[in-house]
Amino acid sequence: MFSHSPTAANTLSSILVPMTDPTTRVFDGHNDCLLRLPDHTPATAFLDGRDGGHLDLPRAVEGGLGGGLFALFISPSPETTSREQRRTDTSDGFHLDPPPMLRPAYARDETKRLLDRLDAVLDAADDRIVLVTTADELRSTVPADDQLACVLHFEGAPMIAPDCSNLDDYYDRGLRSLGLVWSRSNQFAHGVPFAFPGTPDTGPGLTAYGKRLVRRCNELGIVVDLAHLNEQGFWDVAALSSDPLVVSHAGVHELCPSTRNLTDDQLRAVADSAGLVGVTFALSAIRSDGRDDPDTPVDRIAAHIEYIADTVGVEHVAIGSDFDGASIPDSLGDATGLPSLLDALARRGFDANERQLIARENWLRVLESTWD
Ligand code: ZN
């Protein structure tokens, strides 16, 4: 019997939990649902359900989603739209031009607009959704059948002042996880432009401001998310951060050579820090040909999870769906398809304890240790 836990002997025993419930509730490391809700009726759309997309409260309940990182993402401003994501097709793939930086004032206005949208949903939710900001809230909410834990995440930091002077304000509003960049550069770091095939080593590392932001996140207890960061930036954070390394939604470069995916050396650094990778469902990051083909078996996601478990240990791999942020396999569909992924993991030989680590316990462990 092969093991999914090559590093387990000395570390896993302390974090194994008994599998008591066959309908394991999932904690998911990334969704863009907030971005997709209509401005005029965000609460109704999320609480009662909506057409299309991947996630709302009824579908979370049906799929066993107990909580996740809800991303606040800043869309391109009207003045930069024409220079966004210009695509060049190549013989074996594609690359997109690096998108332009956003104006900080625009990013802050958009952040306020999206935070107001989130508040509208929370106000109408009557405790069915909890904006979780502490380890105790996380531990009590995620397993609860009648509650959904919402952890506020910013995907990219263009709204953060270079001197971090407004970071505390966002912390007070509930921010507990921060991606330094999306795939566009900002005052702190450089994102990876999307390309296939391609290496994540696409440019320089963190700026001096970026290094200060990492230290300040460590002090406050905010997760520093390395998804969309280029490889040099990743190594800069690895050398600097005192918290577990977190990549909320990405795949394995060895299985799919996208710029967005992680090399084996990066996987080992994540494991050495007791961190985790949330495996994305995004087609372009899981298929070996990099194509956006929705006719892709759910087992393709399980293959990335298994690779990470076999390479660095099952305690360092989790789920980071990218619901409502990417094209995903039709075979999974939306949040109601989460059990099909757990079934695929079972077919690959992951036992109940390992499935529970992947489904939620690894995320809870990393968030708790970072927030404490
Ligand atoms: Zn993303």
Side-chain angles (χ1 to χ4, degrees):
M1 180 69 189
F2 66 93
S3 168
H4 286 296
S5 310
T7 65
N10 53 354
T11 58
L12 194 56
S13 58
S14 63
I15 56 173
L16 272 178
V17 291
M19 178 69 182
T20 54
D21 182 357
T23 58
T24 290
R25 285 172 66 75
V26 170
F27 187 93
D28 173 33
H30 192 83
N31 76 70
D32 285 306
C33 182
L34 189 58
L35 192 66
R36 308 297 172 203
L37 299 178
D39 261 328
H40 45 293
T41 54
T44 313
F46 190 76
L47 300 175
D48 297 345
R50 64 199 173 103
D51 293 332
H54 301 141
L55 179 59
D56 48 37
L57 187 60
R59 283 183 281 186
V61 170
E62 185 179 341
L65 183 68
L69 268 68
F70 282 67
L72 187 151
F73 174 82
I74 308 298
S75 300
S77 63
E79 70 227 44
T80 66
T81 302
S82 65
R83 289 179 289 140
E84 288 290 328
Q85 305 284 77
R86 281 184 300 210
R87 178 183 173 112
T88 303
D89 289 306
T90 61
S91 59
D92 57 350
F94 69 94
H95 61 84
L96 302 183
D97 288 350
M101 286 175 59
L102 299 174
R103 279 188 303 110
Y106 164 79
R108 284 194 282 275
D109 288 347
E110 282 293 287
T111 301
K112 180 181 183 314
R113 190 173 68 84
L114 291 165
L115 287 174
D116 289 347
R117 185 183 291 181
L118 176 63
D119 283 347
V121 176
L122 293 171
D123 287 349
D126 289 334
D127 293 337
R128 286 177 290 168
I129 308 172
V130 179
L131 182 65
V132 163
T133 58
T134 69
D136 286 346
E137 288 171 338
L138 187 71
R139 189 50 76 178
S140 64
T141 305
V142 173
D145 283 340
D146 56 350
Q147 290 191 311
L148 179 65
C150 167
V151 175
L152 179 59
H153 168 79
F154 288 177
E155 186 174 23
M159 72 295 285
I160 307 294
D163 64 358
C164 302
S165 56
N166 59 356
L167 186 62
D168 289 61
D169 293 340
Y170 290 129
Y171 181 88
D172 291 344
R173 288 209 61 171
L175 180 68
R176 291 296 180 274
S177 174
L178 175 64
L180 296 181
V181 284
W182 180 67
S183 284
R184 84 168 75 239
S185 297
N186 62 25
Q187 57 270 42
F188 303 111
H190 303 281
V192 279
F194 292 91
F196 182 96
T199 161
D201 187 11
T202 59
L206 267 52
T207 66
Y209 292 131
K211 292 175 181 174
R212 173 155 54 168
L213 177 58
V214 171
R215 283 191 287 268
R216 189 66 189 130
C217 285
N218 284 170
E219 289 166 5
L220 282 170
I222 296 174
V223 170
V224 175
D225 179 17
L226 308 182
H228 291 275
L229 186 61
N230 66 7
E231 185 173 355
Q232 186 55 53
F234 176 100
W235 293 119
D236 286 350
V237 176
L240 186 65
S241 180
S242 56
D243 285 326
L245 299 179
V246 168
V247 186
S248 66
H249 58 301
V252 172
H253 198 269
E254 192 67 27
L255 301 181
C256 167
S258 159
T259 51
R260 279 274 289 110
N261 285 345
L262 299 169
T263 66
D264 287 3
D265 283 346
Q266 289 179 301
L267 295 177
R268 280 188 279 273
V270 168
D272 288 347
S273 76
L276 66 75
V277 177
V279 169
T280 182
F281 302 171
L283 292 164
S284 60
I286 59 172
R287 288 179 58 94
S288 58
D289 60 8
R291 288 173 50 222
D292 245 357
D293 183 352
D295 184 17
T296 297
V298 72
D299 184 66
R300 195 67 216 146
I301 304 166
H304 284 248
I305 291 173
E306 183 176 67
Y307 184 97
I308 297 172
D310 285 349
T311 305
V312 298
V314 72
E315 62 271 42
H316 304 298
V317 62
I319 291 172
S321 70
D322 213 351
F323 283 144
D324 288 324
S327 303
I328 68 173
D330 283 346
S331 55
L332 195 141
D334 59 20
T336 64
L338 285 168
S340 70
L341 176 57
L342 299 181
D343 290 346
L345 292 172
R347 286 194 297 275
R348 280 183 175 260
F350 288 92
D351 67 22
N353 265 324
E354 292 170 328
R355 294 200 300 276
Q356 185 146 319
L357 289 172
I358 295 161
R360 74 165 190 248
E361 289 299 323
N362 289 334
W363 264 119
L364 298 199
R365 179 194 87 234
V366 167
L367 293 176
E368 286 166 354
S369 73
T370 304
W371 294 351
D372 275 351

